[in-house]
Amino acid sequence: MTSAQTFPASAPPKFARIGSPYFGIMLAFMAVVLILSNIGASKGVAIGPIITDGGFFLFPLAYILGDVISEVYGFKVARKAIVTAFALSVFASLCYWIIIALPGFDDDFGASKQAALEGALGPVPQIVLASLLAFLAGQTINAWILVKLKARTGEKTLWARLMGSSVAGEFVDTLIFCSIAASVIGITDAGTFVNYVVVGFLYKTLVEFLFVPVTAAAIGWIKKREPSYGA
């Protein structure tokens, strides 16, 4: 009688520990991109028939950084980066509120400056709330799917897990964000709202897909230089 064939258990996915400067640099960039995109998102933008907001060109960068962190450091570290970036974003929003509330000069210049600050930074707290809920949900789903796929495939099919996780994360993120932020930038009718959601989702996903080669190259570069990767 021949013995049953046995197969080796799949190796656990490789990750790096936090210790080198790379994680801190990426976290700082993620926080800055998020804060700037929150300010830009308070402005509605119409490019022909396309309806979007002023932060459209920045926000995908936060997801690309999230992909790199998730792939190199794992889900727990990615979750820590998401929470940290949003804590800093909430802090920035609190600073805006204090700046607006401080008494200013009574001359015409002071009044116009106050009105400009209120118009530009006043809606930001609601934008931050939209981003907080959307980014926490979207990035968490994005990181979770990416790490789960990595547990199945190991170091192979990096492009597939980057693209697959991006579709799910960006859809959840865009739907939640647009639902809360639409009224702030002046979107009130259903047709414009659908345009806002669809364009936002397709744009963010397309940007991530186009940047997959760059994201993969960045991941490979950091993996080679992280002394603890796979240890």
Side-chain angles (χ1 to χ4, degrees), residues 21-106:
Y22 299 112
F23 172 73
I25 293 171
M26 288 188 290
L27 176 58
F29 269 103
M30 179 185 287
V32 170
V33 167
L34 186 58
I35 291 170
L36 291 177
S37 64
N38 287 340
I39 297 173
S42 64
K43 176 181 178 178
V45 173
I47 305 174
I50 298 174
I51 304 298
T52 182
D53 58 64
F56 76 97
F57 67 98
L58 278 169
F59 201 75
L61 297 178
Y63 262 83
I64 292 170
L65 289 167
D67 284 341
V68 177
I69 292 173
S70 300
E71 172 69 21
V72 177
Y73 300 98
F75 179 72
K76 290 183 179 180
V77 175
R79 184 173 56 190
K80 181 182 295 185
I82 295 166
V83 172
T84 302
F86 266 99
L88 293 172
S89 184
V90 171
F91 174 71
S93 183
L94 177 61
C95 290
Y96 303 149
W97 179 81
I98 294 173
I99 292 168
I100 291 172
L102 288 172
F105 297 147
D106 295 329

Side-chain angles (χ1 to χ4, degrees), residues 162-193:
L162 288 174
M163 297 172 74
S165 62
S166 295
V167 171
E170 289 290 10
F171 177 76
V172 172
D173 180 290
T174 305
L175 182 61
I176 295 175
F177 178 82
C178 292
S179 299
I180 300 174
S183 61
V184 177
I185 66 173
I187 294 176
T188 55
D189 62 280
T192 307
F193 174 76

Side-chain angles (χ1 to χ4, degrees), residues 99-117:
I99 292 168
I100 291 172
L102 288 172
F105 297 147
D106 295 329
D107 57 8
D108 291 341
F109 178 78
S112 63
K113 181 67 70 175
Q114 178 69 18
L117 285 171

Side-chain angles (χ1 to χ4, degrees), residues 195-231:
N195 187 319
Y196 186 34
V197 173
V198 172
V199 168
F201 168 67
L202 292 178
Y203 166 76
K204 294 173 184 177
T205 305
L206 178 61
V207 169
E208 286 212 56
F209 281 9
L210 291 176
F211 273 84
V212 161
V214 178
T215 306
I219 287 172
W221 189 89
I222 294 175
K223 283 179 178 179
K224 291 178 180 178
R225 286 159 178 80
E226 272 289 6
S228 64
Y229 185 76

